[in-house]
Amino acid sequence: MLNFLKKLFSASEKPDLNALIEEGAFLVDVRSPQEFAQVKVKGSVNIPLDSISRQISKFKDKKHIIVFCRSGNRSSQAKSILQRNGFTNVVNGGTVGNVNQFVK
């Protein structure tokens, strides 16, 4: 009973970014091109938040998608946009630093 209540009232489980990245997740930095030029996560692509809707085709056929930014705010918005467009395999990775710690 206690475990049931913990699951019911606790925050949702955090995705295993390390495992998703090892499986070849599509890493999408939604910061501006200027921010992306300063600090990059190896293997990531830059699709700024304001162009996500116009570039939906780039997300098709991806097994896992991890979106991230400077603070996690824009990536949260990007995740919502992608989910509204039918993507169920999107994870908000939060910050550049958070995602970068799992990239080898």
Side-chain angles (χ1 to χ4, degrees):
M1 179 72 167
L2 184 59
N3 283 337
F4 170 76
L5 292 174
K6 279 184 181 178
K7 286 183 181 181
L8 183 64
F9 293 106
S10 68
S12 61
E13 289 184 35
K14 289 187 176 183
D16 185 347
L17 293 182
N18 190 49
L20 295 175
I21 290 169
E22 284 183 2
E23 289 182 31
F26 185 45
L27 301 176
V28 183
D29 188 329
V30 300
R31 296 175 302 152
S32 71
Q34 295 80 10
E35 290 171 295
F36 184 71
Q38 292 174 356
V39 178
K40 297 177 187 171
V41 171
K42 182 180 172 185
S44 67
V45 298
N46 182 223
I47 304 175
L49 176 62
D50 62 359
S51 66
I52 295 278
S53 295
R54 294 187 307 273
Q55 298 191 46
I56 289 294
S57 63
K58 291 185 178 180
F59 296 90
K60 295 196 185 305
D61 302 322
K62 304 296 186 203
K63 184 175 180 182
H64 303 292
I65 301 166
I66 300 174
V67 292
F68 57 94
C69 63
R70 183 178 49 84
S71 68
N73 184 36
R74 286 176 280 182
S75 54
S76 176
Q77 294 175 56
K79 178 181 177 182
S80 294
I81 292 167
L82 291 167
Q83 288 176 324
R84 284 194 304 270
N85 281 276
F87 293 91
T88 58
N89 56 341
V90 184
V91 170
N92 179 356
T95 67
V96 172
N98 186 52
V99 173
N100 202 33
Q101 70 180 328
F102 299 107
V103 174
K104 295 172 175 68

